[in-house]
CSV table of all heavy atoms in Angstrom, one decimal:
chain,number,residue,atom,x,y,z
Q,1,ARG,N,-10.8,-0.2,-1.7
Q,1,ARG,CA,-10.4,0.7,-2.9
Q,1,ARG,C,-9.4,1.7,-2.5
Q,1,ARG,O,-8.4,1.9,-3.1
Q,1,ARG,CB,-11.7,1.4,-3.4
Q,1,ARG,CG,-11.3,2.3,-4.6
Q,1,ARG,CD,-12.3,3.5,-4.8
Q,1,ARG,NE,-12.3,4.3,-3.6
Q,1,ARG,CZ,-13.3,5.1,-3.2
Q,1,ARG,NH1,-14.4,5.1,-3.9
Q,1,ARG,NH2,-13.3,5.8,-2.1
Q,2,ASP,N,-9.6,2.3,-1.3
Q,2,ASP,CA,-8.6,3.4,-0.8
Q,2,ASP,C,-7.3,2.7,-0.6
Q,2,ASP,O,-6.2,3.3,-0.9
Q,2,ASP,CB,-9.2,4.1,0.4
Q,2,ASP,CG,-10.4,4.9,0.1
Q,2,ASP,OD1,-10.7,5.2,-1.1
Q,2,ASP,OD2,-11.1,5.3,1.0
Q,3,ALA,N,-7.3,1.5,0.0
Q,3,ALA,CA,-6.0,0.9,0.3
Q,3,ALA,C,-5.3,0.5,-0.9
Q,3,ALA,O,-4.1,0.6,-1.1
Q,3,ALA,CB,-6.3,-0.4,1.2
Q,4,LEU,N,-6.1,0.0,-1.9
Q,4,LEU,CA,-5.4,-0.4,-3.2
Q,4,LEU,C,-4.8,0.8,-3.9
Q,4,LEU,O,-3.7,0.7,-4.5
Q,4,LEU,CB,-6.4,-1.1,-4.1
Q,4,LEU,CG,-6.9,-2.5,-3.7
Q,4,LEU,CD1,-8.0,-3.0,-4.5
Q,4,LEU,CD2,-5.7,-3.5,-3.7
Q,5,ARG,N,-5.5,1.9,-3.9
Q,5,ARG,CA,-5.0,3.2,-4.5
Q,5,ARG,C,-3.7,3.6,-3.7
Q,5,ARG,O,-2.8,4.0,-4.4
Q,5,ARG,CB,-6.0,4.3,-4.4
Q,5,ARG,CG,-7.2,4.0,-5.4
Q,5,ARG,CD,-7.9,5.3,-5.7
Q,5,ARG,NE,-9.2,5.0,-6.4
Q,5,ARG,CZ,-9.3,4.8,-7.7
Q,5,ARG,NH1,-8.2,4.7,-8.4
Q,5,ARG,NH2,-10.4,4.5,-8.3
Q,6,HIS,N,-3.7,3.5,-2.4
Q,6,HIS,CA,-2.5,3.9,-1.7
Q,6,HIS,C,-1.4,3.0,-2.1
Q,6,HIS,O,-0.3,3.4,-2.3
Q,6,HIS,CB,-2.8,3.8,-0.2
Q,6,HIS,CG,-1.5,3.9,0.6
Q,6,HIS,ND1,-0.9,5.1,0.9
Q,6,HIS,CD2,-0.6,3.0,1.1
Q,6,HIS,CE1,0.2,4.9,1.5
Q,6,HIS,NE2,0.4,3.6,1.7
Q,7,VAL,N,-1.6,1.7,-2.1
Q,7,VAL,CA,-0.6,0.7,-2.4
Q,7,VAL,C,0.0,1.0,-3.8
Q,7,VAL,O,1.2,0.9,-4.1
Q,7,VAL,CB,-1.0,-0.7,-2.2
Q,7,VAL,CG1,0.0,-1.7,-2.8
Q,7,VAL,CG2,-1.3,-1.0,-0.8
Q,8,ALA,N,-0.9,1.3,-4.8
Q,8,ALA,CA,-0.5,1.5,-6.1
Q,8,ALA,C,0.4,2.8,-6.2
Q,8,ALA,O,1.3,2.8,-7.1
Q,8,ALA,CB,-1.8,1.7,-7.0
Q,9,ASP,N,0.2,3.7,-5.3
Q,9,ASP,CA,0.9,5.0,-5.4
Q,9,ASP,C,1.9,5.1,-4.2
Q,9,ASP,O,2.6,6.1,-4.1
Q,9,ASP,CB,0.0,6.2,-5.3
Q,9,ASP,CG,-1.0,6.2,-6.5
Q,9,ASP,OD1,-0.6,5.8,-7.6
Q,9,ASP,OD2,-2.1,6.7,-6.3
Q,10,CYS,N,2.1,4.0,-3.5
Q,10,CYS,CA,2.9,4.0,-2.3
Q,10,CYS,C,4.4,4.4,-2.6
Q,10,CYS,O,5.0,3.8,-3.5
Q,10,CYS,CB,2.9,2.7,-1.6
Q,10,CYS,SG,3.8,2.7,0.0
Q,11,PRO,N,5.0,5.3,-1.9
Q,11,PRO,CA,6.4,5.6,-2.2
Q,11,PRO,C,7.4,4.6,-1.6
Q,11,PRO,O,8.6,4.8,-1.8
Q,11,PRO,CB,6.6,7.0,-1.5
Q,11,PRO,CG,5.6,7.0,-0.4
Q,11,PRO,CD,4.4,6.2,-0.8
Q,12,ALA,N,7.0,3.6,-0.9
Q,12,ALA,CA,7.9,2.6,-0.3
Q,12,ALA,C,8.6,1.9,-1.4
Q,12,ALA,O,8.1,1.8,-2.5
Q,12,ALA,CB,7.1,1.6,0.6
Q,13,ALA,N,9.9,1.5,-1.1
Q,13,ALA,CA,10.7,0.8,-2.1
Q,13,ALA,C,10.0,-0.4,-2.6
Q,13,ALA,O,10.1,-0.7,-3.8
Q,13,ALA,CB,12.1,0.5,-1.5
Q,14,THR,N,9.4,-1.2,-1.8
Q,14,THR,CA,8.7,-2.4,-2.2
Q,14,THR,C,7.4,-2.4,-1.4
Q,14,THR,O,7.2,-1.7,-0.4
Q,14,THR,CB,9.4,-3.7,-1.9
Q,14,THR,OG1,9.4,-3.9,-0.5
Q,14,THR,CG2,10.8,-3.7,-2.4
Q,15,HIS,N,6.4,-3.1,-2.0
Q,15,HIS,CA,5.1,-3.2,-1.3
Q,15,HIS,C,5.3,-3.8,0.1
Q,15,HIS,O,4.5,-3.5,1.0
Q,15,HIS,CB,4.1,-4.0,-2.1
Q,15,HIS,CG,3.7,-3.3,-3.3
Q,15,HIS,ND1,4.2,-3.6,-4.6
Q,15,HIS,CD2,2.9,-2.2,-3.5
Q,15,HIS,CE1,3.7,-2.8,-5.5
Q,15,HIS,NE2,2.9,-1.9,-4.9
Q,16,MET,N,6.2,-4.7,0.3
Q,16,MET,CA,6.4,-5.3,1.6
Q,16,MET,C,6.9,-4.4,2.6
Q,16,MET,O,6.9,-4.6,3.8
Q,16,MET,CB,7.3,-6.6,1.5
Q,16,MET,CG,6.7,-7.7,0.6
Q,16,MET,SD,5.0,-8.1,1.0
Q,16,MET,CE,5.2,-8.8,2.6
Q,17,ASP,N,7.4,-3.2,2.2
Q,17,ASP,CA,7.9,-2.2,3.1
Q,17,ASP,C,6.8,-1.2,3.5
Q,17,ASP,O,7.0,-0.3,4.3
Q,17,ASP,CB,9.1,-1.4,2.5
Q,17,ASP,CG,10.3,-2.2,2.3
Q,17,ASP,OD1,10.5,-3.2,3.1
Q,17,ASP,OD2,11.1,-1.9,1.4
Q,18,CYS,N,5.6,-1.4,2.9
Q,18,CYS,CA,4.5,-0.4,3.1
Q,18,CYS,C,3.6,-1.0,4.2
Q,18,CYS,O,3.0,-2.0,4.1
Q,18,CYS,CB,3.7,-0.3,1.8
Q,18,CYS,SG,2.2,0.7,2.0
Q,19,PRO,N,3.5,-0.2,5.3
Q,19,PRO,CA,2.6,-0.7,6.4
Q,19,PRO,C,1.2,-0.8,6.0
Q,19,PRO,O,0.5,-1.8,6.5
Q,19,PRO,CB,2.8,0.4,7.5
Q,19,PRO,CG,3.9,1.3,7.0
Q,19,PRO,CD,4.1,1.0,5.6
Q,20,LYS,N,0.7,0.0,5.2
Q,20,LYS,CA,-0.7,-0.1,4.7
Q,20,LYS,C,-0.9,-1.4,3.9
Q,20,LYS,O,-2.0,-2.0,4.0
Q,20,LYS,CB,-1.1,1.1,3.9
Q,20,LYS,CG,-2.6,1.4,3.9
Q,20,LYS,CD,-2.9,2.8,3.4
Q,20,LYS,CE,-4.3,3.2,3.8
Q,20,LYS,NZ,-4.6,4.5,3.6
Q,21,PHE,N,0.0,-1.7,3.1
Q,21,PHE,CA,-0.1,-3.0,2.3
Q,21,PHE,C,-0.1,-4.2,3.2
Q,21,PHE,O,-0.8,-5.1,3.0
Q,21,PHE,CB,1.1,-3.1,1.3
Q,21,PHE,CG,1.0,-4.3,0.4
Q,21,PHE,CD1,0.0,-4.4,-0.5
Q,21,PHE,CD2,1.9,-5.3,0.6
Q,21,PHE,CE1,0.0,-5.5,-1.3
Q,21,PHE,CE2,1.9,-6.4,-0.2
Q,21,PHE,CZ,0.9,-6.6,-1.2
Q,22,LYS,N,0.8,-4.1,4.3
Q,22,LYS,CA,0.8,-5.2,5.2
Q,22,LYS,C,-0.6,-5.4,5.9
Q,22,LYS,O,-1.1,-6.5,6.1
Q,22,LYS,CB,1.9,-5.0,6.2
Q,22,LYS,CG,3.3,-5.3,5.6
Q,22,LYS,CD,4.4,-5.0,6.7
Q,22,LYS,CE,5.7,-5.2,6.1
Q,22,LYS,NZ,6.8,-5.0,7.1
Q,23,ARG,N,-1.2,-4.2,6.3
Q,23,ARG,CA,-2.5,-4.3,7.0
Q,23,ARG,C,-3.5,-4.8,6.0
Q,23,ARG,O,-4.4,-5.6,6.4
Q,23,ARG,CB,-2.9,-2.9,7.5
Q,23,ARG,CG,-2.2,-2.5,8.7
Q,23,ARG,CD,-2.8,-1.3,9.4
Q,23,ARG,NE,-3.0,-0.1,8.5
Q,23,ARG,CZ,-2.1,0.8,8.3
Q,23,ARG,NH1,-0.9,0.8,9.0
Q,23,ARG,NH2,-2.3,1.8,7.5
Q,24,LEU,N,-3.4,-4.5,4.7
Q,24,LEU,CA,-4.3,-5.0,3.7
Q,24,LEU,C,-4.2,-6.5,3.6
Q,24,LEU,O,-5.2,-7.2,3.5
Q,24,LEU,CB,-4.1,-4.3,2.4
Q,24,LEU,CG,-4.9,-4.7,1.2
Q,24,LEU,CD1,-6.4,-4.4,1.4
Q,24,LEU,CD2,-4.4,-4.0,-0.1
């Protein structure tokens, strides 16, 4: 849940640029 919330609000240009999304 916490990871999904982070990804939903992530300031990265794309989700593929988000390290947390990659770990997820």
Side-chain angles (χ1 to χ4, degrees):
R1 180 208 57 207
D2 293 346
L4 290 172
R5 289 198 191 282
H6 169 81
V7 171
D9 298 329
C10 184
T14 71
H15 289 103
M16 296 311 292
D17 294 334
C18 176
K20 201 165 200 170
F21 182 69
K22 288 181 182 178
R23 285 194 305 272
L24 178 61

